[in-house]
């Protein structure tokens, strides 16, 4: 049963007024932040390797396409065995969810880089680090930012799902707790908060990546 807007509004006010909510929010934000760093950086490295090497692409990229669409929650029991029931397993779920869209977007972006730019970098005898920071990343800003945006979305989903399965803290825990006691107004209030946070995070990524200015121009 869908509660009334008034009931949801009251629950939203009560949730935001509760100091314990911010502890759970901080827990989820910490888990997602660490997951984004781990999954994003590993996806960036793998994407550059796959996009820059035909051999690596032919040998391994197909596996990413096969594993990418799989629901990552199937790996959660393995994550629990490896990292325990604490935040580590939630971070791992978020990281593995984030990894695939970042890696695939970066690999595709690498293949779209103008070959002239690569030849210029090599003619100046740029080392690998200089090629990545001065040539590759600036040239594929769009694919990288799009990969991060997609990675953020699936990392958020993966982390929250993990929190609903086995946790006593975090926004996912609050959502499943509200659902289990049929507190529908609070559950909808929490979902609204998550929706607003996701929009804000996507907007921030756009601005940090400069895509907002590109779209306006």
């Amino acid at each position: 049963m869908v509660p009334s807007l008034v009931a949801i509004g009251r629950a939203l006010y009560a949730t935001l007024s509760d100091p314990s909510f911010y502890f759970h929010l901080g827990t989820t934000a910490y888990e997602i932040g660490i997951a984004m760093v781990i999954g994003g950086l590993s996806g960036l490295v793998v994407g550059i390797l796959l996009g820059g090497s035909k051999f690596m692409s032919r040998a391994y990229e197909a596996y990413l396409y096969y594993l990418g669409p799989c629901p990552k929650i199937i790996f959660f029991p393995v994550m629990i065995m490896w990292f325990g029931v604490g935040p580590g397993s939630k971070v791992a779920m978020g990281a593995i969810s984030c990894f695939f869209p970042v890696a695939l977007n970066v690999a595709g972006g690498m293949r779209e880089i103008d070959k002239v730019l690569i030849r210029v970098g090599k003619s100046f005898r740029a080392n690998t680090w200089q090629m990545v920071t001065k040539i590759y990343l600036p040239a594929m800003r769009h694919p990288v930012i799009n990969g991060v945006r997609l990675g953020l979305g699936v990392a958020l989903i993966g982390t929250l799902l993990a929190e609903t399965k086995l946790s006593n803290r975090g926004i996912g825990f609050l959502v499943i707790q509200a659902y289990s006691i049929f507190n529908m107004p609070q559950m909808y209030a929490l979902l609204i908060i998550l929706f607003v946070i996701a929009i804000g995070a996507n907007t921030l990524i756009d601005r940090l990546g400069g895509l907002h200015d590109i779209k306006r121009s």
Side-chain angles (χ1 to χ4, degrees):
M1 183 178 69
V2 179
S4 66
L5 293 178
V6 174
I8 295 175
R10 289 174 180 169
L12 185 61
Y13 176 78
T15 300
L16 294 175
S17 302
D18 185 0
S20 65
F21 164 75
Y22 296 96
F23 166 76
H24 293 284
L25 179 62
T27 299
T28 299
Y30 167 79
E31 292 169 350
I32 294 175
I34 299 299
M36 286 293 296
V37 171
I38 297 173
L41 289 179
S42 58
L44 180 65
V45 172
V46 171
I48 290 175
L49 291 175
L50 293 178
S53 169
K54 291 183 179 180
F55 170 77
M56 295 288 287
S57 177
R58 291 173 181 172
Y60 300 109
E61 191 166 350
Y63 295 105
L64 296 187
Y65 280 105
Y66 294 145
L67 291 174
C70 293
K72 307 307 179 295
I73 195 65
I74 63 176
F75 299 110
F76 190 49
V78 179
M79 300 304 169
I80 293 175
M81 288 191 295
W82 286 355
F83 303 104
V85 298
S89 56
K90 286 75 177 177
V91 170
M93 275 296 300
I96 195 173
S97 299
C98 173
F99 167 79
F100 289 97
V102 174
L104 292 174
N105 272 273
V106 171
M110 279 288 293
R111 287 188 281 269
E112 297 297 324
I113 296 177
D114 192 339
K115 299 299 186 290
V116 174
L117 295 176
I118 297 176
R119 287 198 294 268
V120 168
K122 291 181 178 179
S123 67
F124 281 96
R125 297 181 180 179
N127 57 36
T128 302
W129 176 253
Q130 290 171 331
M131 289 293 293
V132 170
T133 57
K134 303 296 184 182
I135 303 294
Y136 298 157
L137 291 181
M140 57 178 182
R141 181 171 58 173
H142 255 96
V144 171
I145 297 301
N146 286 333
V148 171
R149 290 176 62 183
L150 292 172
L152 173 64
V154 292
L156 178 64
I157 294 172
T159 303
L160 291 173
L161 275 177
E163 288 180 346
T164 63
K165 297 298 181 183
L166 187 63
S167 183
N168 60 356
R169 63 187 66 183
I171 302 298
F173 165 72
L174 292 181
V175 171
I176 200 65
Q177 184 184 52
Y179 176 79
S180 64
I181 61 175
F182 298 101
N183 189 349
M184 295 297 108
Q186 185 185 18
M187 188 188 77
Y188 278 94
L190 291 168
L191 294 178
I192 290 172
I193 292 171
L194 287 173
F195 181 71
V196 172
I197 291 174
I199 292 177
N202 270 293
T203 303
L204 179 62
I205 291 173
D206 272 359
R207 291 187 177 276
L208 290 177
L211 295 187
H212 180 73
D213 296 332
I214 294 174
K215 291 175 183 177
R216 291 182 61 182
S217 61

